[in-house]
Amino acid sequence: MSSYIPTTDADRRKMLEILGLDSLQELFEVIPPEKRYPHLDLPPPLSEMEVKKLLRGLAEKNADLDHHPCFLGAGAYHHFVPAVVDHIISRGEFYTAYTPYQPEVSQGTLTTIYEFQTMVCQLAGMDVANASMYDGATGVAEAGLMAARVTRRDGLVVASTLHPRYREVLRTYTQGMGMDIQEVGYGEDGGVDLRQADQLLGTGTAALMVQYPNFLGSLEDLQPLSELAHGVGALLVVCVDPIALGLFRAPGEQGADIVVGEGQSLGSPPSYGGPYVGLFACRQKYLRQIPGRLVGMTTDADGRRGFVLTLQPREQHIRREKATSNICTNEALVALAAATYLAIMGKHGLRQVAELCYHKAHHAASEIDALPGYERLFGQFFKEFVIRTPVSPATVNALLMEHGIIGGYGLERDYPQLGDCLLLCVTEMNTKEEIDSLLEALREIGDAR
Amino acid sequence: MTEPLLFELSSPGRVGYRLPELDVPETALPEKYLRPELPLPELSEREVVQHFTRLSQLNFSIDTGFYPLGSCTMKYNPKLHEEVARLPGFARIHPWQSESTVQGALQLMYELQEYLAEITGLPGVSLQPVAGAHGELTGMLIVRAYHQEHGDEGRTVVLVPDSAHGTNPATAAMCGYKVATVPSDPRGNMDVRELERLTDETVAGLMLTNPNTLGLFEEHILQVAEIVHEAGGLIYCDGANVNALLGIASPGELGTDVLHLNLHKTFSTPHGGGGPGAGATVVTEELTPFLPTPAAARREERESTAAATEYYLDYERPQSIGPVSGFYGNFGVMVKAYAYLRSLGERGLREVSENAVLNANYLLEQLKGYYHLPYDRLCLHECVFSGKAQANLGVHTVDIAKRLIDLGFHPPTVYFPLIVDEALMIEPTETESLETLDAFVSAMRQIAQEAESEPELVRDAPRTTPVTRLDEAAAARKPNLRWQG
Ligand SMILES: Cc1ncc(COP(=O)(O)O)c(C=O)c1O
C-alpha cells in the first residue's frame, strides 16, 4: 500500500473483526448514501522517484537567486543563511512536533521560543515579545487591533510609507471592526510628513503606524513621531527590518509602544513569499493585550528551571470570542530559524551584516545616481533606495532580466507619483561584480533610450 | 534539565559567523541613527549547534513516537517533502519576481488549487491563509462581504456549536460578529431543534466542524445546511477534520459554502512545533469573487500556431476582501502538500481516510470498557473519551496524560471539546501500525488499572522526563518572558 500506511491486509481483517464489521465501507454508513465516494479527478499516484523528478522539473522552470543576481527587496530579502540554521530546523524533533501543549515533553521548543522572545526584545528594545505572528503584514494588522483595545479608540493613522501590502492586510483584518484608517504622506526626505501627521492625529487615534526604515528605504527619526502620537494619547507602532536593527537605534529607545516586523531576513530564504514569521513586541504595561502565544520561565515540582506556555487566558482556546486574537498555530519553526540565525550572528555578526548592506547599497546608489538618466530620490537610507529611471521601471526590469539580473520593485502600482521609479535593494549577498554588472546594464539601458 | 540558555553560554568576543570582507568603498555611517549597543549573545558555531541539538532532544515528536493528539492530525511527515521544498527553484525565488521567471511556482500553485477544489467539491480556492485560524478569518470575512454585497446589513450573529474549537468563536468576533452557541444533542450531533430556534434573519452563518470535534459525523448535516440556507445564512465548515473524508464525501456536496483546510494536518505537512501551517480556503462558485487577491491563474497564449500555457497572478477581483497575508501564502508548505497529493492520487487519499477511521474505531473499541465513552457510536478519524470515572478516584485527565508520557506516548488532546468532562481526544491517524495502536491500548488500560490500585503513581507522573510537572500558576502570576541576566 502507498499513502505511508503501515497497516497490512491481515491487520485490517483483524481490526474489522474486532469491530464486528465486514468491510471498511461499513465505517462510513453514517454519511448520506448518495454523497458517499465521490469520484475525484486527480492525477494518478507517482513513485518517490517520479515525484522528485516532477518537482525538480517545476523548480527548474524558475529563475532562482542562486543563479541570478537579485536587487529585489520590498518586504522579502535575500540575506545569507548560515548552514547551521537549516541543519537545526531539519531536526525531526523540532519540525515534527506540535505546539508545545505538554511542557514536560516540549522543553526543546519552549526553550527556543523563550530565547527567540528574548532576542526580539533585545533587537527592538522592548519589554515583551510573543512567540510569533504569521508574518510582518499580519503583525501590523494585529498591532492595529491591539492598539485599539489598549486605547479603546478606533482610529489609525498609517504612514503611506508603511509597506503597501501591509496596509491592505490591515484594512482586510479590520473591515469587520469598523475602524477609521487614515494615511499620512511622506515629505521631501522620504520620511513621514510631520505636519500632516500632526493634523491627522487626534483624540480618536489609537495608533500612529510607521515603518523603520520605511518602504521607500528611508531612515526615520522616530522620536518626533512618538512625541506626536503620545501627545494625543495614541500609541506608536513601528514595523521594523530586523537586520537594520543590527546597526540602527532600537525603536524602543525612541518611544515605540509596539514593535512588529517581518522576520524572514533572519535565517529564512525568500521562498516565494512564505513561510515567514511576524515579530511582535510591546511594552510591559500592555502585556495582557498582546495577541498570540507567550512562553514563560517557571520551575518544576523538583525546583528545576523549565518553560511553559503562559498567560493563556488571552487566547482563543480559553477565552473564545473574547480572546485577543484567533491565532493558534503560528510560525514556530521559522522563529526557531530566526533564533538560530541570531545566535550564530550574535552581537558582532548582525552588525557586520547590516554594515555590509549599508556600504554596498550606498556604493550602488551613488554609482547609479551618477549614471546619465538616473537619479536617486530621498534622504538617509539603509539597504533600499528609490531610483528614477530613464525608461519605465517595467522596461528596465525586463532588460535587466535579459542580462540575467533580477531588478527592482516598480513603484507605479503603489505610488503613482513615483511611477517612473524603481525600489532597489542591495544586501551582503550582492558582490562587487554583481553590482558592477547591474551598473553596466543600467548604463546600457540608459544609453539605448 | 541541564541545558543553559544562549545568554548563559555567551562569552564576550566569541563569534560563530564567517562573513566576507567589504569589497566596495565605505560610506560614512549616519551617527545620529546608530545604536550604542546590541545586546545579542556571542557564541561559536560549535556551541550553537550543540545547544540546539541538545534542546531538540528534549522534545517529543512524530519522528520519535506515537502522537495521538486529537484534532491535530499528527501523521507521519514524508522526508521527500523536506527535500523538494528546499530545491533552489522553490526556496530561493523572490515573491516579486516577474511572472515569466516563476512559471514553475505558479503552475504548482495553480494545480494545487485545482486539486483542493476537486477534493472538497468547492471550486474557488485561496492558498493565501497560512494557518487554520487564518483560513477561518478569511472565510468569515468572505461571509461578511457576501451579505454586504446583498445589502443584508442586519446579519450580526454567527452560530457556533458548543463543541467548536476556540478559534471559531474568536474568528467570528474578529469579524465583528456576536456569537450564539448551539448546543449538542445526546448523540453528539448539533441539536437541530435548537438550531432552528436560533436561526433567523440576523444570522450571517453557522460555523460547523464535520466530522465534529467529538470525531462524529453530523448525522443531520443536510438538514442543518437547509435550515441555515433557508434563513439566508451561509455554512462555514472548519475543515480541520477532513482527514476523515478524503474521497469519502465532499464537503461541497454536504451544503458547505466556505471551508478551510489545514494543509499541516490533512496533507501531511509538518507542524514545526507550532507552524508554519497553511490554511487554504475553498468556497462555492458564488463566493469566489470575494476571495483574497491574488490567486494563481492560467491562460492559453496563441503564439503563431502552437498554444502556449502561461501562469500568472490574478489580481482582478474587484469584490475581494483584500489580501490576508504579505504575499501568496506559505509557498514552502504548498510544495509539500503538492508532493503529497501527487504521491497519493485518488485511491491513496481514500485509503488515508479509510485507515485513519479504522484506527480510531479500533482504539474506541479497545478502550471503551476502560474509560467512559460519552457518545457510543462509530466514530470517524478520532474518538473522545471522558476520564470522569478515574476522576472519581482522584485521578484526573491531566494525570492520565502525564502518565502516558512515562509510558512512552504523547498524550491525546485533553479537556477539549469543552462539552465532555475530563475529555481525552484521541486521533491515531492512518500512519500508525497495529502494533503501535496495541501498545497504546495496553498503556491506557494499565493507567486505568493504576488509577484504581496506585493513584499516586499516576498523579506524580511524569517521572521520566527532563522536567517534572511545571508550576504554570507561578509562571502566570509573575511572568518571566525574557532573559534579563
Ligand atoms: C477543529 C480545529 N479548528 C481550527 C484549528 C486551528 O487551526 P490552526 O492551529 O492551524 O490555526 C484547529 C487546530 O488547532 C482545530 O483543531
Side-chain angles (χ1 to χ4, degrees):
Chain A
M1 175 159 314
S2 58
S3 318
Y4 306 101
I5 295 170
T7 320
T8 63
D9 286 336
D11 292 338
R12 258 185 298 279
R13 275 196 302 277
K14 190 170 150 200
M15 293 164 82
L16 284 170
E17 196 179 308
I18 287 172
L19 291 173
L21 301 177
D22 291 328
S23 71
L24 291 169
Q25 283 79 354
E26 288 172 55
L27 292 167
F28 298 102
E29 281 174 1
V30 64
I31 295 168
E34 71 281 11
K35 308 290 185 192
R36 254 178 260 163
Y37 302 112
H39 165 63
L40 302 183
D41 185 14
L42 294 173
L46 299 174
S47 67
E48 177 167 348
M49 219 190 282
E50 291 164 313
V51 172
K52 198 163 155 175
K53 195 165 165 205
L54 172 77
L55 273 286
R56 199 187 298 127
L58 287 172
E60 284 170 1
K61 285 189 191 171
N62 305 322
D64 66 65
L65 308 188
D66 285 0
H67 297 94
H68 297 271
C70 171
F71 297 93
L72 262 178
Y77 299 99
H78 190 211
H79 284 290
F80 181 65
V81 180
V84 171
V85 175
D86 206 39
H87 175 81
I88 295 300
I89 66 167
S90 298
R91 291 193 64 90
E93 299 93 327
F94 279 133
Y95 84 81
T96 73
Y98 199 72
T99 300
Y101 289 138
Q102 295 288 342
E104 298 88 348
V105 285
S106 312
Q107 285 301 303
T109 298
L110 288 161
T111 309
T112 66
I113 295 174
Y114 180 85
E115 293 176 331
F116 170 78
Q117 290 173 180
T118 301
M119 290 189 283
V120 171
C121 288
Q122 290 172 338
L123 278 177
M126 297 307 275
D127 303 323
V128 288
N130 74 9
S132 71
M133 297 271 97
Y134 298 137
D135 65 3
T138 61
V140 163
E142 291 272 16
L145 292 170
M146 175 170 156
R149 287 194 300 275
V150 165
T151 60
R152 296 171 193 276
R153 299 174 177 185
D154 60 7
L156 295 173
V157 175
V158 181
S160 68
T161 48
L162 176 62
H163 197 304
R165 181 77 181 210
Y166 293 14
R167 283 181 277 134
E168 285 184 72
V169 172
L170 174 67
R171 286 187 190 275
T172 305
Y173 260 64
T174 54
Q175 61 194 250
M177 301 296 225
M179 294 192 65
D180 173 30
I181 302 177
Q182 291 183 295
E183 292 195 1
V184 49
Y186 57 86
E188 251 168 48
D189 62 350
V192 173
D193 181 336
L194 289 176
R195 264 237 303 271
Q196 199 193 357
D198 193 22
Q199 281 163 6
L200 291 174
L201 287 163
T203 51
T205 310
L208 171 62
M209 307 182 79
V210 303
Q211 187 171 324
Y212 176 79
N214 74 27
F215 185 75
L216 301 174
S218 296
L219 278 169
E220 190 101 53
D221 194 351
L222 297 175
Q223 201 69 48
L225 294 170
S226 99
E227 281 159 22
L228 283 181
H230 295 157
V232 296
L235 306 190
L236 178 66
V237 175
V238 181
C239 177
V240 297
D241 169 358
I243 299 286
L245 297 185
L247 187 55
F248 299 112
R249 287 176 65 201
E253 286 165 30
Q254 303 172 71
D257 299 289
I258 303 176
V259 176
V260 296
E262 175 52 68
Q264 172 264 326
S265 297
L266 306 174
S268 289
S271 194
Y272 206 51
Y276 289 1
V277 57
L279 312 179
F280 197 108
C282 69
R283 297 202 178 279
Q284 180 76 31
K285 61 181 165 187
Y286 306 129
L287 175 59
R288 307 271 157 182
Q289 289 298 341
I290 202 170
R293 303 205 192 280
L294 292 168
V295 169
M297 187 190 281
T298 186
T299 49
D300 76 357
D302 303 323
R304 282 171 299 197
R305 180 168 83 189
F307 299 89
V308 291
L309 292 173
T310 193
L311 299 176
Q312 298 193 62
R314 300 163 299 108
E315 290 188 61
Q316 46 75 27
H317 60 290
I318 310 239
R319 193 54 70 80
R320 297 176 80 82
E321 65 267 26
K322 298 202 174 60
T324 52
S325 168
N326 71 341
I327 192 169
C328 181
T329 290
N330 50 36
E331 301 289 324
L333 199 71
V334 194
L336 172 61
T340 310
Y341 176 86
L342 288 170
I344 279 286
M345 287 302 169
K347 190 191 213 50
H348 308 289
L350 193 69
R351 172 149 182 146
Q352 207 169 315
V353 169
E355 285 191 15
L356 284 169
C357 293
Y358 180 89
H359 293 304
K360 285 171 182 256
H362 281 73
H363 168 69
S366 69
E367 295 286 316
I368 296 171
D369 189 48
L371 293 174
Y374 294 87
E375 181 196 3
R376 186 181 80 77
L377 307 189
F378 308 128
Q380 298 272 14
F381 66 100
F382 170 47
K383 68 183 182 194
E384 288 181 277
F385 51 92
V386 175
I387 289 289
R388 179 163 286 144
T389 54
V391 289
S392 82
T395 309
V396 173
N397 277 340
L399 293 170
L400 285 175
M401 199 61 215
E402 285 178 13
H403 290 80
I405 298 172
I406 296 171
Y409 179 87
L411 292 169
E412 64 278 8
R413 194 167 80 102
D414 306 306
Y415 301 90
Q417 72 279 21
L418 299 174
D420 54 355
C421 295
L422 266 183
L423 179 69
L424 291 175
C425 175
V426 183
T427 73
E428 79 281 11
M429 299 298 276
N430 298 113
T431 60
K432 177 166 187 303
E433 291 78 70
E434 290 186 5
I435 295 170
D436 285 345
S437 66
L438 172 71
L439 293 170
E440 198 41 53
L442 287 176
R443 180 194 307 279
E444 210 175 284
I445 293 165
D447 289 348
R449 131 191 71 127
Chain B
M1 203 178 88
T2 52
E3 183 58 23
L5 295 171
L6 288 170
F7 319 103
E8 297 167 300
L9 292 166
S10 172
S11 183
R14 219 168 255 168
V15 293
Y17 59 87
R18 294 175 308 286
L19 289 164
E21 295 290 315
L22 183 63
D23 55 2
V24 300
E26 278 195 30
T27 305
L29 295 171
E31 290 300 331
K32 146 174 176 194
Y33 292 106
L34 298 183
R35 70 187 295 162
E37 60 134 17
L38 182 61
L40 289 174
E42 298 168 76
L43 300 147
S44 69
E45 177 170 332
R46 163 101 185 98
E47 292 168 295
V48 172
V49 169
Q50 205 167 51
H51 172 70
F52 286 110
T53 304
R54 283 181 179 153
L55 285 181
S56 77
Q57 291 170 340
L58 305 179
N59 266 7
F60 194 102
S61 65
I62 296 177
D63 279 2
T64 54
F66 184 41
Y67 214 129
L69 194 64
S71 207
C72 301
T73 316
M74 299 298 281
K75 61 169 82 176
Y76 172 67
N77 306 127
K79 302 305 154 191
L80 167 66
H81 301 176
E82 298 305 309
E83 194 175 310
V84 291
R86 285 171 169 81
L87 290 168
F90 291 142
R92 284 188 290 288
I93 50 176
H94 192 287
W96 295 130
Q97 273 178 237
S98 69
E99 288 159 354
S100 64
T101 68
V102 288
Q103 284 294 300
L106 292 171
Q107 182 181 342
L108 184 145
M109 287 171 63
Y110 178 81
E111 289 178 358
L112 181 58
Q113 288 170 190
E114 298 281 292
Y115 303 157
L116 297 181
E118 181 67 18
I119 291 165
T120 57
L122 291 163
V125 184
S126 174
L127 298 174
Q128 213 180 95
V130 300
H134 203 209
E136 291 175 37
L137 179 69
T138 305
M140 290 310 291
L141 287 174
I142 290 171
V143 167
R144 188 176 169 278
Y146 166 86
H147 289 307
Q148 280 203 324
E149 183 66 25
H150 290 79
D152 213 348
E153 307 278 346
R155 296 186 183 269
T156 53
V157 176
V158 166
L159 303 176
V160 179
D162 58 3
S163 58
H165 192 260
T167 51
N168 295 179
T171 299
M174 267 178 101
C175 298
Y177 287 115
K178 289 195 280 286
V179 173
T181 305
V182 188
S184 301
D185 74 12
R187 280 184 62 77
N189 295 310
M190 211 182 310
D191 187 322
V192 174
R193 203 119 16 112
E194 279 298 306
L195 177 70
E196 264 177 326
R197 196 179 63 76
L198 289 164
T199 306
D200 58 23
E201 70 293 340
T202 67
V203 168
L206 164 69
M207 294 184 85
L208 60 77
T209 308
N210 196 20
N212 64 26
T213 63
L214 297 163
L216 302 174
F217 189 81
E218 284 290 344
E219 290 172 305
H220 313 296
I221 184 66
L222 299 176
Q223 197 189 343
V224 164
E226 201 177 297
I227 292 168
V228 175
H229 285 152
E230 289 252 303
L234 296 178
I235 300 285
Y236 183 94
C237 181
D238 179 332
N241 295 341
V242 167
N243 209 46
L245 296 180
L246 300 170
I248 306 287
S250 296
E253 289 189 29
L254 298 172
T256 304
D257 298 295
V258 193
L259 169 96
H260 83 259
L261 295 163
N262 297 61
L263 302 189
H264 49 301
K265 296 180 180 178
T266 314
F267 300 102
S268 189
T269 73
H271 289 77
T281 300
V282 292
V283 300
T284 55
E285 186 86 56
E286 196 180 8
L287 296 178
T288 302
F290 303 104
L291 284 170
T293 48
R298 184 173 73 177
R299 64 179 154 236
E300 307 295 331
E301 290 276 290
R302 291 217 159 268
E303 274 176 30
S304 59
T305 50
T309 304
E310 197 188 11
Y311 296 90
Y312 65 103
L313 289 166
D314 184 3
Y315 285 88
E316 287 308 312
R317 269 188 189 147
Q319 290 166 286
S320 167
I321 59 164
V324 295
S325 66
F327 295 96
Y328 323 119
N330 279 344
F331 178 74
V333 178
M334 297 173 208
V335 175
K336 297 176 190 184
Y338 181 89
Y340 184 69
L341 288 172
R342 295 304 300 255
S343 300
L344 267 57
E346 181 191 22
R347 170 133 184 268
L349 286 179
R350 192 166 293 138
E351 285 167 0
V352 162
S353 291
E354 286 173 345
N355 286 278
V357 171
L358 177 66
N359 287 355
N361 277 290
Y362 182 76
L363 291 183
L364 181 147
E365 183 63 29
Q366 298 287 38
L367 293 176
K368 81 178 177 190
Y370 299 80
Y371 293 88
H372 173 68
L373 182 64
Y375 304 95
D376 189 2
R377 55 186 251 211
L378 284 178
C379 65
L380 287 187
H381 66 301
E382 64 196 357
C383 53
V384 178
F385 286 94
S386 161
K388 73 181 187 192
Q390 287 73 25
N392 288 335
L393 303 168
V395 170
H396 290 270
T397 281
V398 60
D399 305 316
I400 296 167
K402 303 303 182 194
R403 181 66 183 138
L404 267 173
I405 293 174
D406 274 344
L407 299 179
F409 298 97
H410 194 282
T413 290
V414 291
Y415 299 104
F416 175 73
L418 306 179
I419 57 170
V420 173
D421 230 17
E422 302 277 337
L424 285 153
M425 181 194 218
I426 307 170
E427 181 180 11
T429 83
E430 74 282 3
T431 62
E432 298 302 327
S433 67
L434 180 55
E435 290 86 336
T436 299
L437 300 182
D438 282 337
F440 179 74
V441 166
S442 303
M444 287 292 286
R445 289 179 178 178
Q446 177 185 330
I447 296 169
Q449 174 59 44
E450 287 170 355
E452 294 183 22
S453 57
E454 290 174 275
E456 281 311 315
L457 180 68
V458 186
R459 277 199 295 265
D460 282 349
R463 283 281 147 203
T464 58
T465 43
V467 290
T468 53
R469 285 197 208 185
L470 290 148
D471 190 344
E472 302 194 15
R477 212 166 35 242
K478 224 170 161 281
N480 173 341
L481 308 174
R482 78 184 151 109
W483 179 251
Q484 294 188 65

